[in-house]
Every structure is written in C-alpha cells, then in structure tokens.
Amino acid sequence: MKVAIEALSGSQLCSTRALRYDPIKITRPSRLKAPLKPLALSSCLNTSFNLNHEYQEREKLSPLQPEDENPQSFKLPVVIRHSATVSRCFWDGKELKFVSVDGIDGFSLWDFSLQYEDWLRKLGEVCRAAVRNFLLPREVSANYLEYVKWKFLHRVFSSALQVLATQAMFRAIGIGYSRSLPSAAAVNWVLKDGLGRLSRCIYTASLASAFDTNLKRVRFSTSILFSLSIGIELLTPAFPQYFLLLATIANIARQISLACHLATGSAVHRSFAISDNLGEVSAKAQIQTVCFDNVGLLLAATLNILLRNNQRLLAALPFVVYPIFSAIDLFGIYQGLRHVHLQTLTKDRLELIINIFIKPGYVPSPAEVSDREGIDFLWSKGRELLPIRIGGLNLEKKMPKLCLMTMRSLKDEDFYFICMESLNNGSRIKDHGILLCLREGARTEDLITGLLQACYIRNKLLRDKISLENVLEARVSSNSLPIEWVTLMEESRRFVRDNLGRLKDQMSGLGWICQNILLSTQEQARYSFVADG
C-alpha cells in the first residue's frame, strides 16, 4: 500500500485547500487526556496533506508535551498518509512514534456517540475515495470525470440491450425447447461469427487512416451501427427462418463497431493522460467497462424478474425498451465524445485553429476546438465557400489555367503551391475551391505554412468579392497569372512570415502536438519537382 510522505516547512504550511483541526486530537501516553470536541475535516485526504497557520498557533497554545516530560522529545516536520489514516512523526526521546492527527486512533464508544455526524461524514469520504481510486486514474485532465459519467450512462443501457438481444437470439434458434437442434444452432452460430470477423478485417484495413483523422465521426457512426445491430438481433425471434441472415448482418455491424472501438481507444485515453500514465488510464477504462456493464446486466435481469409471470409482456419487453435504451445509449456516447479533447492535429482541426487565429486573433485551446468541431458528421462537410483541400491534382476534371500558370512558376525552393481548382463545371463561387499541393520531402512546418497561407487567401477573397471575380474570370481568359492573384500571393506570404512563429508558439503553449499532422490517405499525396536541364 502506497505511503505518501510530505515535509511540512516551519514558516508556511498551506495549500490550495488546507485541512483544519478544531482542536486536534492526538494519541499520546496514557496520562495525557485528548480533547473530546468535534473534529472538523474540511477536505478529503486524497490530495497532498498540509496544515494551515491556525494549526501552528494551536500547537503553540496546546504543546504536545507537558513540562515534566523529557525535554528531548519533539515533533518532526513529516506527515505520513497511510490508507485512510494520517499520522505525524514524533520523537519521544527514545524512539520514533507516529501520532494520529485525524482523530482515528484511540477512539471510544463515548467519543463515537459525541462525534457521530463527523464520523459518518468521514466514512462517506473514505468510501468515495476508495471508489475513486478503484475506478479513476490518479492524474488525468479535468474533463475526464464528465467523460466517465456519460460513459456510465452509455455502458449501462448498452449492456442491458445486449442481454435482451442475446435472449432473443436464443429463443430464435430454439434453445430451451425440445425441438431444438443443437448441431444446426452451433453451425449457424460459428458461421455468423466467422463472417463477422472477416468483415471486421476488411473494414479495419480500408479505414485505417480515418481512425486518426476522423476519430469522433467514425466512432459515433459505428456506435449507431452497433445500436442497429442490436435491433436486428431482437428481430430474430419474429423471423426464425431467417436467423442466419439476420444474425450474420447483426454480427458484421457489431464486429465493425468493436474494431473501431479498439482502434480509437488508445487515442481517447491519451487525450486524458497528463503524466504519461496511458497504461493506468487504459486499465481503469477496462475496470469501468466491467463495472458499468454489470450494472446494465443487473438492470436487464431485474426487468426479466419483474415480468417472469407474464410471458406475453416478457416477449414484448425488448421491442418496448429498445428505442428508449438505444436513444439513451447514443446520447451518452455523443456527450462523452464532446468531452474528449484531442491534442493531435488533423487537417480540419488545424484549419479551424488557423481560421480563429486569423479573424479573432488568438489560438483556441483543445477544449474550445472540441466544442466547435463537434462530431463532424459526413453530411455536414463541404458547405463552406472555397473549401481548402490538401492533396494531389484531380486528373478527372478539367484543370484550370490558373493552376497551370501556378505550376509553371514553381521554383526549386518551393515545397508547396496553392491554386484555385474547379469543383464543378459552374462558374459560381461555390463551384470552386483552393488546392494546397505538397512536394515530396515537405516537412510539418511546410504544411502549417501552406495551410496558414491558404486560409489567409480564402479569407481575403471572401471579403473582397471584386478580387475573387477577377481571379475567377482570369483563370480561363489569360495565359499568365492575373495581377490580383500575384498581389494576393505576395500579401499572404508577408502575413505568414510575420505570424507563423507566434502561431506555433501559442499552439505549443496550449498543449497542441505540433510535431506531426495526421493526414488521410488522399491528403498524403505529393508531387515531385523536376528541374529542366
């Protein structure tokens, strides 16, 4: 059991939340009487132990040793916390002793009767500390507790639904009836599991990079898929002749959701670990899952016991609770993901940071970016004007002349280029976008520089519609770069040169991981520069 030892300075013994003792009960030799006044514990002992100045003054007024005792005895400036007890080191002239300063040692039945409320409160604090140490890591970010609360809601109702779905599938294959065929049921079960695992491998291989770049979106989407799989399993008793088909579809969805959960779990846990205690956070997450799932199992068992005498209601129970439980489950997942503040940078996350940096003029924290980006559903993408894309040239569409002129002006020292690209065949603003194309060997700093310049260009074009119209018209009617585009590029380069260092310093100070930018497979496309001899 861990023992925490902290030294108490003689001049200042204070902390953010000091512990007050009024008065202090100390266990000493039998001829000393301890006061019976109530104790006042104002802070839980799960943090570092400190005493305030009032405690020092009371020590002066009530010395530990009478005048006739050994003058060589004295107190040591060391307090030891061991489990739920707190003791201070004391030298009685012959040996080292530990004197209780929390009033736990040497209590009697009379003391307990006088201090019942105080002891009851202490018992509650000890129980809360024990539960906290069992379920929660020692050092995590401030948003972790909110995440665990919503995780509890999600796991309880998800576990209850899984129990009801399993019961439904057992009824569908005839377990418990005399006409059941165990061998056929076993074959069907193995077949559906095999197809589910195969689909899981295919899904994981096809979306490997999306687990990093679109973590919240993928995780919530697969959670919806998992909820639908439970609904399909609940339908198997109604259509027993299609058991294998329904069970296989449900298991495929379940395996895909499981693959996403395992792939993204480490990134979620890393966002909460603040002292390189990723292993502890992951271990506590498993404990939480087991405990919360058992609560859900208890909930499902309670519902079955209450309706055991009415088979009709028992059969209809899954269809009644499924929409309610699944809605609560998905709501808990959604709210929990909102409290996951990722410090890693993706293209979308970095673009959001830069847009705030350009307009309001400051760098947002991971918590603020998490609130702004939300879950980022697929259907909410691409609604902004002049969207910025990182990647290679789109060879399937006609290349704008502005892009040709930009590539023609490239030099050996350039590690990226920015140009307009056509999204559709129309001539309106919403039919165009901005392309940031990176060169082979480009570093993370080049990516940040290019995206900062592209965001500035877009902001400038949207504010100055005249320049935007001139650029769009010149892209097809001129054999050289339009003067508006050249002027805008020079202005954007000056802005980047003046503000890039400040942007990076503020991002690093807020905890953003700037050493690497997570990009999808399409965003990792690069071009090579070939100098003509």
Side-chain angles (χ1 to χ4, degrees):
M1 185 169 298
K2 183 178 179 180
V3 178
I5 302 180
E6 301 180 3
L8 303 178
S9 63
S11 60
Q12 183 178 4
L13 301 174
C14 59
S15 65
T16 57
R17 296 186 63 188
L19 299 179
R20 300 182 58 189
Y21 299 83
D22 188 16
I24 302 166
K25 182 176 181 180
I26 303 177
T27 302
R28 295 176 295 174
S30 58
R31 54 183 173 178
L32 295 178
K33 294 184 179 180
L36 297 178
K37 295 182 180 180
L39 297 175
L41 185 62
S42 62
S43 177
C44 183
L45 296 179
N46 57 358
T47 59
S48 60
F49 182 85
N50 289 292
L51 302 178
N52 57 10
H53 294 289
E54 183 179 350
Y55 173 65
Q56 290 179 307
E57 297 298 329
R58 291 182 182 275
E59 282 185 314
K60 295 177 181 179
L61 296 177
S62 302
L64 186 65
Q65 298 292 337
E67 296 180 357
D68 56 344
E69 286 201 10
N70 190 345
Q72 295 182 352
S73 61
F74 54 85
K75 295 173 293 182
L76 297 173
V78 176
V79 170
I80 298 177
R81 186 179 73 246
H82 186 275
S83 184
T85 63
V86 179
S87 304
R88 184 167 181 177
C89 298
F90 169 72
W91 178 258
D92 64 354
K94 296 181 180 180
E95 60 181 351
L96 181 66
K97 293 184 178 181
F98 299 99
V99 180
S100 174
V101 294
D102 57 3
I104 293 181
D105 292 345
F107 78 95
S108 64
L109 183 60
W110 176 251
D111 296 331
F112 184 80
S113 63
L114 292 178
Q115 304 171 6
Y116 175 75
E117 293 183 359
D118 185 67
W119 281 104
L120 189 62
R121 181 174 52 82
K122 285 185 179 180
L123 179 61
E125 292 176 352
V126 170
C127 293
R128 285 196 298 270
V131 173
R132 185 201 181 283
N133 294 333
F134 181 73
L135 291 177
L136 304 178
R138 291 171 300 172
E139 298 185 25
V140 286
S141 57
N143 55 309
Y144 182 74
L145 187 57
E146 292 296 324
Y147 169 79
V148 172
K149 291 179 181 178
W150 292 110
K151 179 182 178 180
F152 171 78
L153 190 68
H154 147 59
R155 295 302 309 185
V156 167
F157 289 94
S158 177
S159 176
L161 281 177
Q162 292 180 60
V163 173
L164 298 177
T166 303
Q167 290 177 346
M169 296 181 70
F170 283 163
R171 287 196 300 269
I173 62 177
I175 291 181
Y177 296 91
S178 58
R179 63 177 181 272
S180 63
L181 299 176
S183 59
V187 171
N188 290 345
W189 207 275
V190 171
L191 182 59
K192 79 173 184 64
D193 284 349
L195 293 176
R197 292 191 178 99
L198 179 61
S199 301
R200 173 181 172 180
C201 294
I202 297 174
Y203 168 79
T204 305
S206 60
L207 291 180
S209 61
F211 294 133
D212 293 320
T213 56
N214 301 306
L215 185 149
K216 293 185 179 181
R217 180 201 309 168
V218 173
R219 185 151 183 165
F220 187 75
S221 301
T222 54
S223 297
I224 297 176
L225 200 61
F226 182 83
S227 181
L228 293 176
S229 71
I230 295 179
I232 295 175
E233 291 178 348
L234 293 175
L235 291 175
T236 52
F239 305 97
Q241 64 275 23
Y242 300 112
F243 171 80
L244 180 60
L245 176 62
L246 295 176
T248 301
I249 295 175
N251 196 62
I252 289 174
R254 185 187 291 263
Q255 291 293 331
I256 289 175
S257 179
L258 178 61
C260 175
H261 182 80
L262 294 176
T264 58
S266 58
V268 173
H269 298 157
R270 189 182 300 111
S271 68
F272 296 117
I274 60 176
S275 59
D276 294 332
N277 57 335
L278 178 59
E280 182 190 16
V281 175
S282 301
K284 295 295 185 180
Q286 297 181 36
I287 296 175
Q288 295 166 8
T289 300
V290 172
C291 295
F292 299 163
D293 285 354
N294 286 337
V295 177
L297 177 63
L298 180 61
L299 175 61
T302 303
L303 293 175
N304 279 276
I305 293 174
L306 293 176
L307 301 177
R308 66 183 182 275
N309 295 327
N310 194 326
Q311 293 299 321
R312 180 175 298 181
L313 290 179
L314 188 61
L317 175 64
F319 302 100
V320 175
V321 302
Y322 171 73
I324 302 175
F325 282 15
S326 60
I328 298 176
D329 174 30
L330 294 176
F331 181 73
I333 296 173
Y334 180 84
Q335 293 294 334
L337 289 175
R338 288 187 57 191
H339 291 88
V340 177
H341 306 328
L342 301 172
Q343 294 87 23
T344 54
L345 291 175
T346 63
K347 181 263 177 183
D348 294 334
R349 203 167 293 139
L350 179 59
E351 182 179 350
L352 178 59
I353 294 173
I354 293 176
N355 287 333
I356 298 176
F357 176 76
I358 292 176
K359 294 180 181 178
Y362 71 97
V363 173
S365 64
E368 183 178 351
V369 171
S370 179
D371 292 337
R372 286 173 176 262
E373 68 179 354
I375 301 301
D376 192 18
F377 293 107
L378 288 171
W379 51 83
S380 65
K381 298 287 291 180
R383 293 183 178 179
E384 59 184 353
L385 295 176
L386 296 179
I388 299 175
R389 182 176 68 89
I390 299 178
L393 298 172
N394 191 348
L395 303 179
E396 298 179 356
K397 295 183 179 181
K398 185 178 180 180
M399 190 175 301
K401 185 162 291 187
L402 179 60
C403 183
L404 295 175
M405 295 298 102
T406 301
M407 289 189 292
R408 187 176 181 180
S409 62
L410 286 177
K411 300 178 182 179
D412 184 52
E413 59 269 17
D414 296 329
F415 279 89
Y416 66 88
F417 68 87
I418 301 172
C419 66
M420 303 290 294
E421 68 171 351
S422 297
L423 302 178
N424 301 306
N425 295 326
S427 58
R428 294 173 297 181
I429 296 178
K430 67 178 183 179
D431 298 323
H432 298 85
I434 299 178
L435 172 65
L436 172 61
C437 194
L438 298 172
R439 175 180 166 182
E440 289 285 351
R443 302 168 300 173
T444 301
E445 184 175 356
D446 298 321
L447 173 58
I448 298 177
T449 303
L451 192 57
L452 177 59
Q453 185 178 358
C455 289
Y456 180 86
I457 292 173
R458 177 177 61 184
N459 184 53
K460 186 71 174 179
L461 289 175
L462 293 178
R463 284 191 305 172
D464 191 355
K465 295 184 178 180
I466 297 178
S467 298
L468 177 59
E469 292 175 357
N470 293 336
V471 169
L472 295 179
E473 291 176 359
R475 68 182 180 87
V476 294
S477 60
S478 176
N479 291 325
S480 61
L481 290 172
I483 186 62
E484 293 84 2
W485 182 258
V486 175
T487 303
L488 183 57
M489 291 295 292
E490 291 297 330
E491 182 180 346
S492 63
R493 289 193 185 97
R494 288 195 300 270
F495 175 82
V496 170
R497 185 170 55 252
D498 296 338
N499 294 276
L500 180 61
R502 184 165 62 94
L503 172 65
K504 293 174 60 179
D505 291 341
Q506 292 185 18
M507 289 176 61
S508 300
L510 290 172
W512 290 106
I513 303 176
C514 303
Q515 290 78 12
N516 187 36
I517 312 295
L518 301 175
L519 300 176
S520 64
T521 304
Q522 293 77 15
E523 293 169 347
Q524 294 176 7
R526 299 289 188 268
Y527 75 91
S528 299
F529 181 80
V530 179
D532 294 333

